Amino acid sequence: MTEGRPGLPLELRFTVLDLAGKPLKDATVTLWHCDPLGYYSGYLDMDPDEWVATATPEGVTAVEWDPPATDDSRFLRGTQPLDEQGAVAFSTVYPGWYFGRAIHVHIEVQVGGEDFWTSQLYLPEEWNKFTEKLPPYNGHSTLERLTNDCEPRLQMPGFHDTIVGLEPLTPGSPELGLTGSLTLNITRT
């Protein structure tokens, strides 16, 4: 799902089950995340190093969580069906970061074509530190990366379970890529 975007190769595998531990039937998983410099497809005109908020004469009133798209670019987004065991795999690149957020991946599960569960997954801080030193991630010119311990969502109950364990694709050579897996037991949100 890279569509040619540069970055550290990242293989993500998920098993998605219901709360009883059974695979969901007729389900798909959608992932999306920003590129190494914090840009999302469809939003290339938005500077990832700047706070996005709604300004009024009275001051800044709200963050725009779902701003309108600025362009028709499409990268680092993908949808795949779960197999019979509830498993799915994605080949992507390690995400970057943007103002006010720790490194994360958005995930959405659809069942029978309907939205079923949406959340965000995080990556271990040790690999975030490793990756931020590599090109093109080290191309951020003005923004200091928010660490996991400062990410508000990771301080909420249950969210610490959304950190994906990672290891090098090739033992001893993490610069060649990382792989991770996570089992998610979910219910409709």
Side-chain angles (χ1 to χ4, degrees):
M1 60 184 236
T2 65
E3 288 81 24
R5 284 311 235 221
L8 182 69
L10 179 63
E11 303 289 328
L12 293 172
R13 294 177 188 87
F14 302 104
T15 302
V16 184
L17 308 170
D18 64 19
L19 294 180
K22 300 198 182 301
L24 300 173
K25 303 291 185 207
D26 190 27
T28 60
V29 172
T30 299
L31 288 187
W32 69 98
H33 62 81
C34 65
D35 74 4
L37 295 179
Y39 288 95
Y40 278 98
S41 68
Y43 298 91
L44 294 176
D45 288 342
M46 296 177 73
D47 185 343
D49 289 350
E50 291 182 8
W51 178 254
V52 179
T54 302
T56 68
E58 292 79 33
V60 176
T61 58
V63 173
E64 180 63 64
W65 294 116
D66 195 17
T70 65
D71 59 80
D72 62 358
S73 63
R74 284 291 172 256
F75 54 85
L76 302 174
R77 296 175 182 267
T79 300
Q80 294 191 57
L82 293 175
D83 69 15
E84 290 182 10
Q85 288 76 41
V88 65
F90 291 87
S91 294
T92 188
V93 296
Y94 206 94
W97 61 94
Y98 54 92
F99 187 90
R101 294 300 314 278
I103 295 174
H104 64 281
V105 175
H106 298 268
I107 184 169
E108 184 176 70
V109 177
Q110 300 88 23
V111 175
E114 300 289 324
D115 291 345
F116 185 79
W117 182 82
T118 304
S119 193
Q120 294 166 25
L121 306 175
Y122 297 87
L123 303 174
E125 192 57 35
E126 66 187 271
W127 292 112
N128 293 340
K129 288 178 184 177
F130 171 80
T131 305
E132 76 179 349
K133 297 174 186 166
L134 302 175
Y137 303 89
N138 61 5
H140 270 285
S141 59
T142 61
L143 181 66
E144 185 175 324
R145 181 180 62 78
L146 188 70
T147 59
N148 285 351
D149 62 341
C150 294
E151 170 64 48
R153 287 166 186 82
L154 279 173
Q155 311 318 311
M156 296 168 58
F159 268 85
H160 205 69
D161 294 338
T162 63
I163 297 176
V164 180
L166 297 177
E167 59 186 43
L169 279 166
T170 303
S173 299
E175 71 281 358
L176 299 178
L178 300 171
T179 184
S181 62
L182 187 65
T183 297
L184 299 163
N185 292 88
I186 63 172
T187 187
R188 184 177 292 275
T189 54

